[in-house]
Amino acid sequence: MRDKPKRTRIQQKNIETILEAALEVFSQFGFRGTTLDQIAQTAGLSKPNLLYYFPSKEAIHVELLSELMDTWLDPLREMDADGEPIPEILDYVDRKLEMSRDYPRESRLFANEILQGAPRIEEAIKGELKELVDEKAAVISGWISAGKIAPVDPYHLIFSIWSLTQHYADFEVQVQWVLADRSKTSFEDAKAYLDQLFTKMLRP
């Protein structure tokens, strides 16, 4: 099998420019509301130039989602079965909150895909994501059995962490408007609140 031709520096730069522009547009308008013309305009490229690198809007979207999946799963992968349970879970909460702060567009891209039934990442969710959640749910169950944390449903604990952290990215505008007159940033307050919430809930 022949290796794929090596990309030139210009080609790599154009691909990165297209993906950055697509992330911006997809995160605002979703897959259905986005057009190739919008992506090309945001990237500062002609549509024929864009199509030289990606044959379709879906190809760009799939590329973004593929890159995102590893980033999305990394915080959960870091949960250490040999660590202290409550600190490990709080560290996971903090990592997810940091992702909402640092990668809000990526969070909205992922959320939009899920809301549409995940047609382009269904296999990854049924495979890689589910396997990782099953693995970490088993770790949490072990901590519960050992009496190290309060009895909770491990899967719904993980779901609640997702919803309580990703809210700050997926509903960023709403959060900013509601907290416009607060002295602290929403993420400083959110971290303190979520640490307190999960500590009280998980303490045996």
Side-chain angles (χ1 to χ4, degrees), residues 41-149:
Q41 182 178 12
T42 304
L45 299 170
S46 68
K47 186 175 177 181
N49 199 358
L50 182 151
L51 290 170
Y52 172 81
Y53 295 101
F54 293 97
S56 65
K57 177 176 76 170
E58 183 164 7
I60 301 172
H61 200 254
V62 168
E63 180 73 16
L64 281 171
L65 288 169
S66 298
E67 291 183 359
L68 174 60
M69 186 57 71
D70 264 345
T71 303
W72 210 246
L73 297 180
D74 280 345
L76 187 55
R77 289 191 182 109
E78 293 179 33
M79 186 185 289
D80 185 1
D82 296 324
E84 287 297 317
I86 292 180
E88 284 296 325
I89 293 170
L90 293 183
D91 283 347
Y92 175 51
V93 173
D94 291 347
R95 288 192 296 271
K96 287 293 292 177
L97 191 61
E98 287 169 3
M99 281 195 67
S100 284
R101 180 194 65 202
D102 298 337
Y103 303 103
R105 296 177 304 169
E106 288 85 347
S107 182
R108 289 191 289 272
L109 178 79
F110 191 82
N112 282 328
E113 174 68 8
I114 299 298
L115 287 171
Q116 292 175 25
R120 285 159 288 276
I121 56 169
E122 180 180 354
E123 292 307 312
I125 290 175
K126 289 180 176 178
E128 189 178 6
L129 186 147
K130 181 177 180 350
E131 289 168 7
L132 180 61
V133 171
D134 286 344
E135 175 192 331
K136 298 305 181 180
V139 169
I140 295 168
S141 291
W143 289 337
I144 293 168
S145 297
K148 295 181 176 180
I149 60 173

Side-chain angles (χ1 to χ4, degrees), residues 105-201:
R105 296 177 304 169
E106 288 85 347
S107 182
R108 289 191 289 272
L109 178 79
F110 191 82
N112 282 328
E113 174 68 8
I114 299 298
L115 287 171
Q116 292 175 25
R120 285 159 288 276
I121 56 169
E122 180 180 354
E123 292 307 312
I125 290 175
K126 289 180 176 178
E128 189 178 6
L129 186 147
K130 181 177 180 350
E131 289 168 7
L132 180 61
V133 171
D134 286 344
E135 175 192 331
K136 298 305 181 180
V139 169
I140 295 168
S141 291
W143 289 337
I144 293 168
S145 297
K148 295 181 176 180
I149 60 173
V152 295
D153 185 297
Y155 289 94
H156 290 289
L157 172 62
I158 293 171
F159 293 160
S160 69
I161 292 171
W162 291 353
S163 63
L164 287 169
T165 55
Q166 289 164 214
H167 174 89
Y168 292 93
D170 299 342
F171 295 88
E172 182 181 22
V173 172
Q174 175 178 269
V175 171
Q176 288 176 346
W177 285 349
V178 170
L179 298 180
D181 59 346
R182 298 288 291 271
S183 59
K184 291 184 179 180
T185 67
S186 59
F187 288 99
E188 289 174 346
D189 288 342
K191 182 184 183 308
Y193 171 76
L194 293 176
D195 284 355
Q196 181 184 44
L197 175 71
F198 284 106
T199 297
K200 287 184 176 181
M201 181 177 71

Side-chain angles (χ1 to χ4, degrees), residues 10-22 35-54 60:
I10 296 295
Q11 288 173 329
Q12 185 61 38
K13 182 173 183 265
N14 284 341
I15 288 171
E16 290 171 1
T17 298
I18 291 167
L19 291 175
E20 172 66 20
T35 66
L36 284 173
D37 288 323
Q38 287 174 306
I39 297 173
Q41 182 178 12
T42 304
L45 299 170
S46 68
K47 186 175 177 181
N49 199 358
L50 182 151
L51 290 170
Y52 172 81
Y53 295 101
F54 293 97
I60 301 172

